[in-house]
Each structure stands twice: as structure tokens, then as C-alpha cells.
Amino acid sequence: DADLKSGLLTLSHVTAIFMLVVYIAYLFFQLRTHANLFSAIPIEDRKAAAQKPKRTDKDEDKDGEGSPAAETAVVTPAASPINPATAAASQDQIVAIEEPANAVEEKSNEEEEEEDDEEEEIELTLWASLVLLLITVGFIGVCAEFLVDSIDGLTTSWNLSRSFVGMIILAIVGNASEHYSAISVAVKNKMDLALGVAVGSSIQIALFVMPVLCILGWIIDQPMSLYFSPFTTVVLFITVLLVNYIIGDGRTNWLEGLVLIIAYVIIGVAYFLYPKDMDTSSTSLG
């Protein structure tokens, strides 16, 4: 048993080091070598695409002049002369119909441009953002300390398992700001940023926080490993597959969101009903 624990700790330490290497490579890939894959389309490009002239029937006729279909077209007899008064009246009707449609289209384009300009306004400078971030991190650290100290009392008084508190309650409370940010940018139809906040947080926890905690336990001589129980491993495997399947095509809809919510509720119920004497989240071998 001692040899098994020692081998597991050694494997966890080696794995943690390589996971940190992968995370650093991921940051270099995202910020340096392939930053264009993760950047949103600039507003200027979106406006240029919206103002790009559409192809008309004349353009299609010009493209089709040299085609075999145009060469083998059947020649029809000449049309009868058209009354000039009738032609002028028809032209006036066409212009009268097109003008309201063009006005509505121009109005919608102007509204979209105004919304984009309002969304891109910078409200804080870089140094103000950094100072605010440091202050917020300090307050969060103090709150997290009180929160962790109250877990034992919470599990005893409410008859909850430590796994449910750690995997569900702490995850919701600790990531409340990220949840709000992801929802707010998703409402503004910035799905690339919303996915970056949601998925990027999970990648950071998996590839950075867990390896750092494992290596930190190694430094302070606390046996912290990357071992998870079979139940937690299965849950993690299923959630990764589900999320990858849903966001893999780059499109989403309300049904896929409902599937994710139901999957989370099922996982929460499973952790709530899981026996309290069976530890499903501890990575400590001490």
C-alpha cells in the first residue's frame, strides 16, 4: 500500500509538470502564434461586409454570357412595342416599393453600427483595471478563507456531503462573476467571448490550478495527487465529451443549452445523493 501511494504521488507530480507545460504552450499558441484563430471579427470588417454591394441580375447575366447554356439559348421572337406611358407608370411603382425597403435597411444598419460603437467604448484604463483586479482578488481571497473554514459546519448542520459542497455549491459561488460575464456577453451576441470565458475557465482549472496545487503540495510535503475516484472520473469524461460535441461545430441553439443545463442538474442530483462516507473529490493521500 505504501509503494502504491508513493508511485501514485510520483506519477501525479510528473503529470502535473507536463500539464503545466501544455498550459504554457496553449497560452503561447493562443496569444502568439495563432492569435488570429481566437480573435473576434473587427467592427470595421463587419461594417464593410454589410456595405458590400450585392450581386444583381445583370452581373449574373454577364457571368453567364460565356457559358454553354448562354450559347445554346433559344432565340425568341422580338417583343411587341411597349407603351411609354405604361412603362413609366410601372417604373414609378417599382421605385415606390423599393424606397421604403431601402429606408428600412439603412435604418437597421445605422442602429447596428450605433450598438457596436456603444459596446466597444472603453470605460477603464489599463492601470485602473489592474488596480481594481488586485483589490478584487484580495477581497475574494479573504472571503474564500472564511468559506473554506465554514465547510465542515455546513456539511454537519445541513447534512450535506463534502463532495456536493465542493463540486456544486463552491463551484457556483466561486465562479459567480464568470457566470455573470459569460451571460452578459452572450446576451450581446458575443458568443466567441462567452465561450472563451466559460471554456477558458475550465481549461485554466484543469491545466493550471490542479497541477499547481499538486506541485505546491509536493513542495510543502503534503501528499496531494491528481487521483480522482471512478465516479468523478466518469462524470468529468462525460461532461468533456458533451461540451466538445455541442461547441465543436461553432454553432449553438436553445436546445443544446437546455441539454447542458439538464446534464448539470443530473450531475448535481447525483452528487447530492452519493453516499457521504465515500469520498469522491479528495485528492489527498494523507
Side-chain angles (χ1 to χ4, degrees), residues 141-154 162 165 170:
V142 175
C143 294
E145 188 69 22
F146 286 108
L147 183 65
V148 172
D149 292 338
S150 62
I151 289 180
D152 293 332
L154 177 65
R162 296 175 64 91
V165 174
L170 287 183

Side-chain angles (χ1 to χ4, degrees), residues 4-251:
L4 178 62
K5 290 182 178 180
S6 177
L8 183 60
L9 280 176
T10 303
L11 178 61
S12 298
H13 297 158
V14 174
T15 305
I17 294 174
F18 282 106
M19 289 173 68
L20 285 177
V21 173
V22 171
Y23 183 72
I24 295 173
Y26 168 73
L27 292 179
F28 187 75
F29 177 86
Q30 183 180 18
L31 302 176
R32 186 69 177 178
T33 60
H34 293 73
N36 60 312
L37 299 179
F38 300 90
S39 59
I41 301 176
I43 298 178
E44 292 77 8
D45 296 344
R46 285 186 287 174
K47 292 181 180 178
Q51 296 175 356
K52 184 178 180 180
K54 299 181 180 179
R55 292 177 59 85
T56 60
D57 296 337
K58 294 181 179 180
D59 297 333
E60 295 178 357
D61 293 340
K62 290 180 181 179
D63 294 340
E65 286 179 355
S67 62
E71 295 176 358
T72 59
V74 178
V75 180
T76 58
S80 59
I82 300 175
N83 189 355
T86 305
S90 301
Q91 185 67 24
D92 293 339
Q93 292 178 357
I94 294 175
V95 172
I97 294 174
E98 290 180 350
E99 284 181 352
N102 294 334
V104 172
E105 184 177 356
E106 292 176 358
K107 184 178 180 180
S108 61
N109 292 335
E110 291 177 357
E111 291 178 354
E112 291 179 357
E113 292 177 0
E114 291 178 358
E115 292 178 357
D116 292 338
D117 294 338
E118 292 178 358
E119 293 174 0
E120 298 298 330
E121 290 181 356
I122 299 177
E123 299 180 357
L124 290 176
T125 62
L126 177 60
W127 288 107
S129 301
L130 292 177
V131 171
L132 182 60
L133 179 62
L134 292 177
I135 295 175
T136 306
V137 169
F139 280 111
I140 291 176
V142 175
C143 294
E145 188 69 22
F146 286 108
L147 183 65
V148 172
D149 292 338
S150 62
I151 289 180
D152 293 332
L154 177 65
T155 55
T156 303
S157 59
W158 287 16
N159 196 24
L160 297 174
S161 64
R162 296 175 64 91
S163 299
F164 178 78
V165 174
M167 300 293 291
I168 304 299
I169 297 180
L170 287 183
I172 295 176
V173 175
N175 298 326
S177 59
E178 295 178 357
H179 299 162
Y180 175 78
S181 301
I183 294 174
S184 61
V185 296
V187 170
K188 298 178 181 178
N189 200 23
K190 294 184 176 182
M191 294 306 300
D192 52 349
L193 183 56
L195 289 177
V197 173
V199 180
S201 175
S202 302
I203 294 176
Q204 187 181 49
I205 294 296
L207 295 181
F208 178 73
V209 176
M210 285 299 299
V212 166
L213 291 178
C214 183
I215 295 176
L216 183 61
W218 185 15
I219 295 174
I220 64 177
D221 198 19
Q222 173 67 30
M224 183 73 68
S225 71
L226 297 177
Y227 169 78
F228 294 96
S229 68
F231 177 76
T232 303
T233 304
V234 171
V235 169
L236 180 62
F237 180 75
I238 293 176
T239 52
V240 169
L241 284 183
L242 181 61
V243 173
N244 181 69
Y245 172 76
I246 288 180
I247 69 175
D249 57 354
R251 299 178 180 179

Side-chain angles (χ1 to χ4, degrees), residues 268-281:
V269 173
Y271 272 105
F272 181 78
L273 299 177
Y274 204 81
K276 299 177 178 60
D277 57 343
M278 300 180 64
D279 190 8
T280 62
S281 60

